[in-house]
Amino acid sequence: MCGTCGCAEESGGTRVVMLREEDAPDHGHPHPHPHPRPHGRRQPDGAGETVTIEQKVLAKNDLLAERNRTWMTDRGVVAVNMMSSPGAGKTTLLERTVTDLGGRRPVAVIEGDQETRLDADRIRRTGCAVVQVNTGAGCHLDAEMMRDALTALSPAEGSLLMVENVGNLVCPALFDLGERSKVVIISVTEGTDKPLKYPYMFAAADLILINKSDLLPHVDFDIEQCAHHARSVNPDVRVLTVSATTGEGLAHWYDWLAEQR
């Protein structure tokens, strides 16, 4: 079991799938790893060894992340790690973003999900280069998966690389991928208090997007209160309200992306 979120964990679930061509083959490799426990949780006897192992896992991940970061920096590739709970609208936002940005800048996408190629297929139909990373029972992307995806994708120099992480508001925040920035998406169909319930995720964010603003007349969600909660755990974070469906606020999102160099 994952010590952070309680999901089942098994080996050999990771696949990186190149989807620029219809007949692209699957590439599989085993990927066993424990998950880090949050500090402060009472541990059973023998937990010292577990914590030590988990620290080593994170140290290895951070080393690989730095290698990823150097590789991308040398090529002028800027990676944005997009994280949210399932259903917040990440894929729809990505579809709209890669379509609207058009020829302004080369864009590539890494899609993370436990199973299926559905999201990557949606992105591929826009004409954007994309790879799908299937994590099996894993609940997040990590630096090794990112490295394999970069190898398969080989983004052009100067690219904006959008990474859609697995839908989860806990584990993805703990694993550096080598990205330039972290973006957390929350939809107005979720609770206003999400930043307080999942503080580590929102504390790690460089930008928070409050998505599905077109549904505000139909839900009980307070944008100002949500932004206040977010800044209580991350005082300097920027918060934008957007709708991937209507386009509201997306110009400010695109301006922020243009600043990521």
Side-chain angles (χ1 to χ4, degrees), residues 69-93:
R69 188 172 287 110
T70 298
W71 188 94
M72 289 186 284
T73 299
D74 289 346
R75 291 160 179 79
V77 175
V78 174
V80 177
N81 185 2
M82 301 179 67
M83 301 174 288
S84 78
S85 58
K90 293 191 302 300
T91 309
T92 300
L93 179 64

Side-chain angles (χ1 to χ4, degrees), residues 5-21:
C5 66
C7 68
E9 182 179 359
E10 60 186 36
S11 301
T14 305
R15 293 181 296 148
V16 178
V17 183
M18 189 66 202
L19 288 183
R20 281 187 288 188
E21 298 179 3

Side-chain angles (χ1 to χ4, degrees), residues 17-26 117 120-122 124-125 130:
V17 183
M18 189 66 202
L19 288 183
R20 281 187 288 188
E21 298 179 3
E22 288 287 349
D23 58 350
D26 291 353
R117 303 182 184 184
D121 283 335
R122 288 172 59 181
R124 183 170 54 86
R125 285 193 287 269
V130 58

Side-chain angles (χ1 to χ4, degrees), residues 195-196 199 225-237:
L196 301 179
Q225 189 64 40
C226 182
H228 174 75
H229 290 328
R231 293 189 177 106
S232 73
V233 299
N234 189 347
D236 299 322
V237 74

Side-chain angles (χ1 to χ4, degrees), residues 80-84 90 93 162-163 181-185 201 204-209 253 256-257:
V80 177
N81 185 2
M82 301 179 67
M83 301 174 288
S84 78
K90 293 191 302 300
L93 179 64
M162 311 291 285
V163 182
S181 304
K182 290 180 169 66
V183 177
V184 175
I185 300 100
M201 173 64 75
D206 297 291
L207 175 71
I208 296 171
L209 296 178
W253 161 234
W256 184 88
L257 286 174

